[in-house]
Amino acid sequence: MTPKNLSDKVMKSMKYNILWALAVLLATACKPDGFRIEGSISGAPDSILYLEHVTLEGPVTIDSTRLSEEGTFDFNGEKPETTDFYRLRIANSIINIAVDSTETIGVKAQYATMPTEYEVSGSEACQRIKQLAVMQIGLTEKVIAIDSNQMLDRATAADSIMNLINDYKQQVIKEFIIQNTKGAEAYFALFQTLGPYLIFDPQNNADDIKIFAAVATAWDTYHPGSLRGAHLHNVAIEGMKNERILRAQQAKKLNPGIIKTAGLIDIELPDNKGKLRSLSQLKGKVVLLDFHAFSMEKSPQRILMLRELYNKYHAQGLEIYQIDLDGNEHYWKQQTAQLPWISVFDAGGIQSRNLALYNVQQVPEFFLIDRENNLVSRSQQIDDLNQAIEALL
């Protein structure tokens, strides 16, 4: 081969390599960030495997494939804005998947035992969700067994079922929710069902509403602007309204003497240093009693407003007694570490008896208390807060 022919061959090879590299680069640049779910589900040749996006309105199919004898599959999806939920489905057999970002999740299963014995890799959240799914199936089987036991009368059966459900909820709260309230598994756990009913009842069960509120607070903080976070928040608020109506009705029956004792209903709660602080201890000062939640969207603006009031009037005798209703003590301590006024934590959160006693219908809410410890007015009765404070100082 002559030097010229060799040179031409080298040039052609270089051009091919350059064009190939450009093609790969362009293909990569044009491909959006996304996630990948791959693996195999054996024992279901010719079956259709669906990848479904589990939206707030229900599952929506985004891809599907007909399985071969080996059952291999490879799905790709667009990167979710925040943690989102998907599922693999063949007929009525389902595997739930949580996607946090651009990740690759591996799934391996046999169709006959697909819902309970699948293997998942690449996502700790998916592994936790598998544990929850298996537990839920186990709970359902136990409830069906009790309900079908003809040797048990209805009252005994109902009592046994309620004990099972309560034990299940306590385990889930301890092992899957409290450990990571912002996690996919916490959200997933809240919407598990027993038949057509939610295991956690956010409408009628005060303790369950607290759990919804705790997870809603975490999602508001760590997944700001997400549809699921807003949904959690709305569910918690609706439950809070239901509970508050009941408590307000109960509060009407309270002995009026409770209020007359010191001109107000006293509150005693721990501050962010663990010291018990009460309203009655503040006699001699003008007190702004503030019911607050730091997870609220406009909390920073409200805190700035309170700081201005405190700086302006504290030396003249104003004290702020702020009650946090987020239900997350660690989060509250972080938010109040640098605040100069009294900030106390109400473990009752949105279910706090203090809300009912003061007939608080929405948060934030504030009241003014004079130097004699008399409850003077609430926010709706005050046109100019500065003037109202100055009149009491």
Side-chain angles (χ1 to χ4, degrees):
M1 181 179 293
T2 66
K4 182 177 183 306
N5 290 337
L6 180 61
S7 177
D8 289 344
K9 187 173 182 180
V10 170
M11 288 300 294
K12 287 181 180 179
S13 177
M14 290 178 63
K15 288 179 180 179
Y16 173 79
N17 290 335
I18 291 172
L19 289 173
W20 179 83
L22 285 172
V24 171
L25 181 62
L26 287 171
T28 304
C30 293
K31 183 179 178 180
D33 289 340
F35 64 89
R36 182 181 183 186
I37 303 175
E38 61 179 0
S40 65
I41 299 178
S42 60
D46 292 327
S47 296
I48 303 298
L49 175 65
Y50 296 93
L51 174 63
E52 297 175 333
H53 179 201
V54 184
T55 71
L56 293 176
E57 290 74 34
V60 176
T61 300
I62 59 175
D63 205 350
S64 64
T65 186
R66 186 176 295 277
L67 295 178
S68 64
E69 189 70 34
E70 292 77 18
T72 58
F73 64 89
D74 193 341
F75 291 128
N76 292 278
E78 294 184 6
K79 176 185 178 181
E81 294 183 2
T82 186
T83 298
D84 215 339
F85 297 88
Y86 299 81
R87 70 184 194 181
L88 298 171
R89 181 177 65 83
I90 301 176
N92 294 322
S93 294
I94 292 169
I95 293 175
N96 290 289
I97 302 290
V99 176
D100 292 322
S101 59
T102 54
E103 56 190 340
T104 297
I105 299 171
V107 176
K108 186 177 181 181
Q110 294 181 349
Y111 177 58
T113 56
M114 178 176 162
T116 57
E117 297 184 17
Y118 65 93
E119 298 176 10
V120 61
S121 60
S123 169
E124 183 177 349
C126 288
Q127 293 172 354
R128 302 274 284 166
I129 285 174
K130 176 194 173 181
Q131 291 177 270
L132 282 166
V134 172
M135 287 170 57
Q136 177 192 19
I137 291 171
L139 174 65
T140 302
E141 291 174 348
K142 290 176 182 178
V143 168
I144 291 173
I146 292 174
D147 192 55
S148 303
N149 189 341
Q150 297 182 357
M151 297 183 67
L152 297 176
D153 60 70
R154 298 313 301 168
T156 302
D159 187 57
S160 297
I161 289 173
M162 286 307 302
N163 288 336
L164 273 177
I165 293 173
N166 288 334
D167 289 346
Y168 180 88
K169 289 198 292 187
Q170 290 307 310
Q171 181 182 359
V172 169
I173 290 169
K174 180 180 179 181
E175 298 180 7
F176 295 90
I177 296 179
I178 297 303
Q179 289 187 12
N180 185 20
T181 51
K182 69 179 183 296
E185 63 270 32
Y187 183 100
F188 182 84
L190 290 181
F191 293 97
Q192 286 191 297
T193 59
L194 186 61
Y197 303 105
L198 287 173
I199 295 173
F200 287 89
D201 180 1
Q203 294 298 314
N204 305 298
N205 187 304
D207 292 331
D208 291 355
I209 295 171
K210 292 178 186 178
I211 297 300
F212 266 84
V215 178
T217 298
W219 275 63
D220 282 345
T221 303
Y222 293 96
H223 308 280
S226 72
L227 290 176
R228 294 189 183 277
H231 178 236
L232 271 175
H233 193 84
N234 291 337
V235 170
I237 290 297
E238 187 63 29
M240 180 180 69
K241 287 179 180 177
N242 292 343
E243 184 68 15
R244 193 174 294 159
I245 290 171
L246 177 61
R247 289 183 179 274
Q249 292 172 345
Q250 295 172 341
K252 292 179 182 178
K253 302 176 183 178
L254 288 175
N255 185 340
I258 297 176
I259 297 178
K260 293 178 181 177
T261 300
L264 51 71
I265 301 174
D266 199 13
I267 297 175
E268 185 178 58
L269 293 167
D271 65 14
N272 49 16
K273 295 180 176 60
K275 181 180 179 181
L276 285 175
R277 308 294 292 269
S278 68
L279 289 173
S280 57
Q281 291 171 345
L282 299 177
K283 188 174 183 178
K285 295 181 179 293
V286 172
V287 180
L288 191 154
L289 169 62
D290 186 55
F291 291 88
H292 188 79
F294 286 92
S295 59
M296 295 184 303
E297 182 180 355
K298 295 185 178 180
S299 173
Q301 295 94 313
R302 184 174 179 80
I303 293 300
L304 181 61
M305 181 271 289
L306 291 176
R307 188 178 285 274
E308 291 175 353
L309 288 174
Y310 187 87
N311 291 341
K312 185 175 181 180
Y313 296 116
H314 179 65
Q316 301 176 48
L318 175 71
E319 186 57 79
I320 296 175
Y321 187 96
Q322 187 171 55
I323 301 175
D324 177 68
L325 301 162
D326 284 292
N328 186 325
E329 187 172 5
H330 177 70
Y331 177 68
W332 161 70
K333 285 184 176 180
Q334 288 181 321
Q335 297 298 313
T336 60
Q338 303 302 319
L339 296 183
W341 54 78
I342 298 171
S343 179
V344 296
F345 179 70
D346 192 331
I350 58 174
Q351 300 305 312
S352 169
R353 183 169 179 266
N354 293 315
L355 291 175
L357 292 175
Y358 276 82
N359 194 25
V360 176
Q361 300 299 316
Q362 62 181 10
V363 176
E365 176 63 289
F366 68 84
F367 299 79
L368 282 180
I369 300 168
D370 68 16
R371 292 183 186 272
E372 295 302 316
N373 241 193
N374 296 307
L375 189 63
V376 175
S377 56
R378 65 189 303 152
S379 63
Q380 295 92 331
Q381 301 168 314
I382 299 172
D383 294 324
D384 188 314
L385 183 54
N386 282 269
Q387 288 182 5
I389 292 173
E390 289 172 2
L392 296 175
L393 287 172

